[in-house]
Amino acid sequence: MHRCMSLSAGAAVAAVAALVAALLLLCSMAETEALPKLREDFRRQNKSVFILGVSGETGRVLLKEILEQSLFSKVTVIGRRKLTFDEEAYKNVNQEVVDFEKLDDYASAFQGHDVGFCCLGTTKAKAGAEGFVRVDRDYVLKSAELAKAGGCKHFNLLSSKGADKSSSFFYLQVKGEVEGRVEELKFDRYSIFRPGVLLCDRQESRPTEWLVRKFFGSLPASWASGHSVPVATVCRAMLNNAVRPSDKQKEVLDNTAIHSLGKAKGS
């Protein structure tokens, strides 16, 4: 009898789990089907946006997606050098050239933006340990501080899967630290994206990343999707998330959530 009761309890738990999963799926489907309307409502708000890190692969694709979707009335790129854009679609993009070592002198570049996307990042191999910390922590944090002071309401940070300030891995430790320090600034809305390995054809040559991307590209999709994600999917997820109303002050989207939102119907 006890065994029968145990089986019944197990079946009940399984049934509840299945019901919850079904409800979550229905909510997700309803939400993704509403994306076109959410975008249209968002456009009517005439919001302005700034992007950091457009010289990198993710920032470059994000800017392209933003312009294609026409989500913002004003688009500003903040970087250490002026970029050349040949396409007509980029003609109205504002560019603010700053010295990241003296960002306080360029506070005006961060003023008047409703939304900010930070895609800044380098590698320890390229910049050394000190240079990596300066870019991925110090530049990011100072930019966030100026954005907050300049009126930014929604700050989006591109981080990494496994980011944790207590991690024994230096890279993940720094990523986790900057996540926490930006949170202390108390943006109205703070979105953290933690993708796995970014799959892209990076313009900059990084042999190790190229090998990793080829490795993940050869794996079964079901397994690879848990540990990697195309850059374009990340960018669409960032924008799809931005147009969704939210009452959460902080939200963390892991690799699975990025896949789901970036591939949502209407993306």
Side-chain angles (χ1 to χ4, degrees):
M1 179 170 180
H2 288 296
R3 185 181 178 188
C4 290
M5 290 176 64
S6 177
L7 288 173
S8 297
V13 170
V16 170
L19 178 60
V20 170
L23 289 173
L24 289 173
L25 178 60
L26 287 173
C27 289
S28 177
M29 289 174 63
E31 187 174 65
T32 56
E33 288 175 358
L35 269 173
K37 184 179 186 305
L38 288 174
R39 291 195 187 107
E40 190 56 39
D41 291 343
F42 189 87
R43 291 186 187 102
R44 292 195 187 100
Q45 298 175 51
N46 293 317
K47 292 188 175 184
S48 61
V49 65
F50 73 82
I51 312 169
L52 288 157
V54 171
S55 60
E57 188 64 23
T58 305
R60 182 183 66 80
V61 176
L62 179 62
L63 174 60
K64 182 174 182 290
E65 285 284 341
I66 284 176
L67 295 176
E68 287 181 353
Q69 294 187 28
S70 301
L71 292 175
F72 298 92
S73 60
K74 181 180 179 182
V75 179
T76 300
V77 168
I78 301 175
R80 59 186 174 83
R81 59 185 174 84
K82 188 170 184 178
L83 302 175
T84 301
F85 301 116
D86 297 324
E87 294 90 341
E88 181 71 12
Y90 293 80
K91 66 178 182 179
N92 292 322
V93 173
N94 301 289
Q95 294 201 56
E96 294 282 355
V97 178
V98 303
D99 182 346
F100 282 99
E101 294 294 333
K102 304 175 182 177
L103 270 183
D104 281 320
D105 295 341
Y106 300 88
S108 61
F110 294 86
Q111 292 179 353
H113 306 291
D114 300 295
V115 181
F117 290 96
C118 183
C119 302
L120 285 175
T122 186
T123 64
K124 184 179 176 182
K126 179 183 177 182
E130 184 179 337
F132 167 68
V133 171
R134 191 161 65 248
V135 174
D136 284 57
R137 185 192 67 190
D138 299 345
Y139 290 179
V140 170
L141 181 58
K142 174 53 71 172
S143 297
E145 290 174 350
L146 293 174
K148 171 66 175 179
C152 180
K153 303 298 184 185
H154 185 189
F155 190 80
N156 298 267
L157 177 63
L158 180 65
S159 186
S160 173
K161 179 178 181 178
D164 184 348
K165 64 181 179 181
S166 301
S167 176
S168 57
F169 292 96
F170 181 66
Y171 177 84
L172 299 178
Q173 181 186 106
V174 172
K175 291 292 188 181
E177 181 184 354
V178 74
E179 282 186 8
R181 293 182 67 176
V182 171
E183 183 180 2
E184 293 172 1
L185 298 176
K186 302 297 182 182
F187 282 95
D188 288 3
R189 186 178 178 187
Y190 175 36
S191 303
I192 302 170
F193 297 83
R194 293 178 179 170
V197 175
L198 296 173
L199 304 178
C200 63
D201 293 320
R202 191 187 296 274
Q203 294 178 342
E204 175 188 355
S205 177
R206 293 183 183 177
T208 301
E209 287 191 6
W210 182 86
L211 289 172
V212 171
R213 291 196 299 272
K214 289 299 181 183
F215 169 72
F216 278 102
S218 66
L219 295 174
S222 59
W223 194 92
S225 64
H227 303 276
S228 62
V229 59
V231 164
T233 301
V234 175
C235 296
R236 284 193 290 269
M238 295 175 88
L239 296 180
N240 288 346
N241 185 65
V243 302
R244 298 190 304 177
S246 175
D247 56 1
K248 295 181 180 178
Q249 189 273 325
K250 174 189 174 184
E251 53 195 350
V252 179
L253 288 86
D254 62 14
N255 201 66
T256 300
I258 290 172
H259 265 286
S260 177
L261 193 53
K263 294 179 179 179
K265 182 179 178 180
S267 293

